[in-house]
């Protein structure tokens, strides 16, 4: 069954079924940031049944005054989010993933960069 999502202001739609075939393109690639708010870090720590402080020390990196999930370099200039399972091709904290992941691909950055997201995500259906 098709599950197409559209959002006002974006000139593409998103077919969520593509995620089943995709090998994690939105969790693998150039080095970047997956921002985690204070509330989100509490939720993820709780999901993992970890102490918050231990979670911060183990899985987050501080970037100025914010936190981002750690990433692992798998090839030269190719990184993966620490929570992406490369064997199962799935997010290990899917139910507790941060808002940045939940809102992909409808990021303000892609409003004027549709070609970029078309290249990255097989679920993008251009509307132009
Ligand atoms: S938290 Fe999950 S969905 Fe978000 S980048 Fe990491 S592996 Fe991908």
């Amino acid at each position: 069954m098709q599950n197409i999502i559209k959002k006002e202001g974006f000139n593409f739609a998103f077919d969520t079924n593509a995620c089943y075939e995709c090998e994690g393109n939105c969790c693998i690639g150039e080095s970047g940031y997956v921002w985690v708010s204070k509330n989100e870090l509490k939720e993820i720590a709780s999901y993992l049944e970890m102490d918050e402080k231990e979670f911060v020390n183990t899985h987050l990196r501080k970037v100025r005054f914010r936190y981002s999930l750690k990433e692992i370099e798998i090839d030269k200039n190719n990184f993966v989010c620490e929570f992406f399972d490369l064997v199962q091709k799935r997010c290990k904290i899917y139910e507790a993933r941060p808002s940045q992941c939940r809102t992909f691909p409808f990021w303000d950055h892609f409003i004027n960069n549709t070609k970029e997201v078309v290249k990255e995500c097989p679920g993008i259906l251009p509307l132009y």
Side-chain angles (χ1 to χ4, degrees):
M1 199 175 78
Q2 273 200 329
N3 188 21
I4 308 286
I5 301 173
K6 289 181 189 169
K7 196 168 173 203
E8 206 180 318
F10 289 82
N11 59 358
F12 58 83
F14 175 47
D15 176 4
T16 62
N17 285 335
C19 298
Y20 297 112
E21 306 294 323
C22 176
E23 305 235 307
N25 292 6
C26 58
C27 308
I28 301 172
E30 287 172 19
S31 180
Y33 301 110
V34 182
W35 301 114
V36 180
S37 70
K38 287 238 163 76
N39 282 341
E40 287 170 341
L41 82 81
K42 282 183 190 174
E43 277 171 36
I44 302 169
S46 157
Y47 181 77
L48 294 171
E49 298 180 354
M50 280 179 86
D51 171 74
E52 270 173 49
K53 208 166 172 192
E54 186 194 351
F55 173 73
V56 169
N57 291 335
T58 311
H59 296 294
L60 302 184
R61 56 186 165 138
K62 192 134 198 228
V63 185
R64 296 174 61 148
F65 50 87
R66 294 206 275 174
Y67 286 115
S68 174
L69 298 180
K70 284 187 182 170
E71 57 185 6
I72 299 164
E73 189 167 19
I74 44 175
D75 287 310
K76 196 171 177 350
N77 293 326
N78 198 25
F79 294 79
V80 62
C81 171
E82 202 187 53
F83 286 109
F84 189 72
D85 183 329
L86 285 164
V87 177
Q88 304 275 336
K89 309 286 185 206
R90 57 180 281 277
C91 173
K92 290 188 262 188
I93 55 164
Y94 190 80
E95 291 80 5
R97 71 201 187 284
S99 137
Q100 181 175 327
C101 309
R102 289 174 194 273
T103 55
F104 181 88
F106 295 106
W107 295 348
D108 288 353
H109 172 76
F110 293 134
I111 290 176
N112 296 314
N113 292 292
T114 306
K115 284 188 179 147
E116 192 183 319
V117 75
V118 165
K119 259 201 272 172
E120 181 177 334
C121 175
I124 303 299
L125 308 169
L127 301 173
Y128 47 88

